Amino acid sequence: MTTDAVPPGVDPTIPSAGRLYDYYLGGTEHFEVDRRAAELVRMAAPELEDAAWANRGFLQRSAKWLAAEAGIRQFIDIGAGLPTRNNTHEAAQAGASDVRTVYFDNDPMVIAHARSLIVDTPHTIFLSGDLRDPDAILNDPALRDHLDLSQPVALMLVAVCHFIADEDDPQRLIGRYMSEFASGSYLALSHGTTEKTSPVIAEQVREIYEKATEQLHLRSKAEIANLFTGLELVSPYDGAEPGLTHIGLWGADDPEAADSDGSRWAFCGVARKP
Ligand SMILES: C[S@@+](CC[C@H](N)C(=O)[O-])C[C@H]1O[C@@H](n2cnc3c(N)ncnc32)[C@H](O)[C@@H]1O
């Protein structure tokens, strides 16, 4: 993409989390500044491209499972991102065709791109919103028109909470969202981790994101587990105890083969509100 195609509100001189991720996934929605930053990330941690694909796999398998197996018909996906294919609404509709989805993102580039993609897509809308402002998201009239919050929903927070600083208290934010949802609702979440990565490499990647629109806050498995406080984690794959797992493993037919170097960059889980 050239700077001729800069949507309103987008600064093409600062890398953005959404455009970097798009670059890792082989997309086309990025600027020179994103490509330079992404190449630095690739030099520090070549397996991050694989991590992005593993994360997409988690998103797609969990959304389909939530619709097909857990009976969820309403999805709220915050931090939707730029990917063009097999997004939450498509994966969920593969599980149940009557699923309704509301996406949110705070990046104007993502919003411009996504709205052009989902024109004429039934039961799916895309809104501007910031995860750190739950009151604005939960009271958005378009969300309230589209979904019935007296019925269960799935909240998808996939590869977004590692852009939330400790000062913004991601655990409190998630608690606020889940408190608004009916019993039987679910949280599906993935989050970058420091656990399986050399601290030197994690620091190099973190420093590259220092100069981006969103900074990276990798967390330990215990800190990520705390984000599910008050919820009941489901088993991530056949034969596994309920709990967190690396992103490649969730819902995998062959978990051993799925646990790649990229998969180990993030933990994920799906949990039910009792
Ligand atoms: C790595 S992408 C993940 C996209 C998608 N959820 C997935 O996992 O494939 C992270 C997305 O979160 C968005 N994001 C970051 N911080 C956010 C915030 N505070 N509120 C809403 N969206 C945010 C970014 O703009 C970006 O599109």
Side-chain angles (χ1 to χ4, degrees), residues 18 21 55-56 79-81 105-107 110 129-132 158-160:
Y21 186 66
N55 183 63
R56 291 297 294 169
D105 206 285
N106 68 346
D107 180 336
V110 173
D130 194 305
L131 175 58
R132 292 164 295 191
V158 183
V160 62

Side-chain angles (χ1 to χ4, degrees), residues 9 78 132 136 199 204 249:
I78 308 178
R132 292 164 295 191
Q204 285 172 352
L249 277 67

